[in-house]
Amino acid sequence: MNPVVSAPRIYNWDDRKGAQPLDPALDGLVKDIIGKVADKWTMLILEALADHGTLRFSDVGRKVGDISQKMLTKTLRQMEEDGLVQRVVHPVIPPHVDYSLTEMGGSLGGAFCGVWLWAEAHHAQIEASRKAFAARNAAV
Amino acid sequence: MNPVVSAPRIYNWDDRKGAQPLDPALDGLVKDIIGKVADKWTMLILEALADHGTLRFSDVGRKVGDISQKMLTKTLRQMEEDGLVQRVVHPVIPPHVDYSLTEMGGSLGGAFCGVWLWAEAHHAQIEASRKAFAARNAAV
DNA sequence: CTGGATCCGGTTTGATACTG
DNA sequence: CAGTATCAAACCGGATCCAG
């Protein structure tokens, strides 16, 4: 029984395991955070703000792409609550609300950059996998 | 400072910005991948498999924690389709299905490790932010 | 007995319309 | 412009059923 995944990797999960004792409570807390942070819209908004610095409400939506106002509002609120974004309201008419990453949000953006680079590096391979999967499925 | 153990790699958004010509088609494709990969269960399953190498269906669910069989099946299928996990069926009774990360899945795990470290490093700060947010909201 | 497909109830999401 | 309100649709989880 070989417990080792053979692939050579840049990062190693053992780094994480070794650095932290396996505390169940902490583990649950971290999983909760991952569960909230590992969200489609959260990522996309994070990237938009990391890329452009400060954006108004509508501009965030425009940079993200296909997002409804509802999800934009909701996700932005959630990110504000978690301390990832800072929301500044200018009491003028018409309303003007600026969103930008906090320092913590910026650091998350940095951590996520690895995933972004991964996506760019592997998108062709992913599409190939999907085609192969579809063919395998159709072959039945 | 963060105990980020990344080797010679510095994660910086500028890397991405500088390296990528602004191709709208590619951008949409990458966003689509991020949208699929940035999923709570995908991440949690990815970690479980990266951590333990090879797991049976039920064991994956146990390592992940609170996941329904339905989501487990669905997410594993999706990950298999995208080429992140390999599914091996042993035609025995009782049934026995092994799941493990492909090389591409392992590389995603590596890229995502930075996010995990971030979550561990900032969970206290996040909770503080939530409390502050709640207090701010209640003060109104 | 395990992997997974199906049906049902509650929650989340999305499209549209409306307000300050 | 920056949201809120509302309703339909899609989704998620749980229980159940099925196949090997």
Side-chain angles (χ1 to χ4, degrees):
Chain A
M1 301 308 168
N2 196 341
V4 175
V5 182
S6 55
R9 294 187 296 240
I10 299 171
Y11 288 119
N12 195 321
W13 290 95
D14 294 334
D15 296 338
R16 195 186 62 76
K17 284 161 61 183
Q20 210 90 49
L22 291 175
D23 180 354
L26 178 63
D27 185 61
L29 188 57
V30 169
K31 277 184 179 175
D32 173 72
I33 293 174
I34 294 291
K36 288 206 169 78
V37 151
D39 171 71
K40 179 184 177 183
W41 298 132
T42 302
M43 302 283 116
L44 262 13
I45 291 174
L46 185 77
E47 192 233 5
L49 290 176
D51 233 355
H52 296 88
T54 297
L55 290 173
R56 306 180 54 164
F57 179 83
S58 300
D59 290 326
V60 176
R62 204 165 300 118
K63 297 297 177 191
V64 168
D66 259 342
I67 183 173
S68 63
Q69 297 109 314
K70 190 189 200 173
M71 277 296 97
L72 187 55
T73 300
K74 185 184 175 186
T75 310
L76 244 15
R77 278 284 143 74
Q78 170 100 59
M79 294 174 78
E80 184 194 1
E81 182 175 355
D82 289 349
L84 299 178
V85 306
Q86 187 183 19
R87 179 171 177 268
V88 178
V89 181
H90 298 92
V92 298
I93 294 177
H96 186 125
V97 182
D98 280 327
Y99 290 91
S100 59
L101 292 184
T102 62
E103 188 181 336
M104 184 163 62
S107 71
L108 177 58
F112 244 112
C113 188
V115 180
W116 230 276
L117 294 169
W118 178 91
E120 288 183 358
H122 292 86
H123 65 85
Q125 195 176 346
I126 289 176
E127 294 221 80
S129 270
R130 287 177 186 168
K131 284 200 180 74
F133 183 87
R136 223 179 313 158
N137 212 333
V140 181
Chain B
M1 285 317 242
N2 300 353
V4 176
V5 287
S6 57
R9 177 63 153 292
I10 300 170
Y11 280 154
N12 191 320
W13 288 98
D14 294 332
D15 295 341
R16 200 187 59 76
K17 284 162 63 182
Q20 180 191 9
L22 294 174
D23 181 353
L26 177 62
D27 185 61
L29 189 56
V30 169
K31 278 184 179 175
D32 174 71
I33 293 174
I34 294 290
K36 289 205 169 79
V37 152
D39 172 71
K40 178 185 176 182
W41 298 131
T42 302
M43 293 295 107
L44 261 14
I45 291 174
L46 184 76
E47 192 232 4
L49 290 175
D51 234 354
H52 295 89
T54 297
L55 291 173
R56 304 182 51 165
F57 180 82
S58 301
D59 289 327
V60 178
R62 204 168 299 117
K63 297 297 177 192
V64 167
D66 260 342
I67 183 173
S68 63
Q69 295 160 321
K70 190 191 202 172
M71 276 297 97
L72 188 54
T73 300
K74 185 185 175 186
T75 309
L76 281 171
R77 251 322 117 79
Q78 169 98 59
M79 291 174 79
E80 184 194 1
E81 181 175 355
D82 289 349
L84 299 178
V85 306
Q86 187 183 16
R87 179 172 178 267
V88 179
V89 181
H90 301 278
V92 297
I93 295 177
H96 186 124
V97 183
D98 280 326
Y99 290 91
S100 59
L101 292 184
T102 61
E103 188 181 338
M104 184 163 61
S107 70
L108 176 58
F112 204 78
C113 186
V115 180
W116 229 278
L117 294 169
W118 178 92
E120 288 183 358
H122 292 87
H123 65 86
Q125 196 176 347
I126 289 176
E127 294 222 80
S129 272
R130 287 178 186 168
K131 284 200 181 76
F133 183 85
R136 224 180 311 155
N137 211 332
V140 180

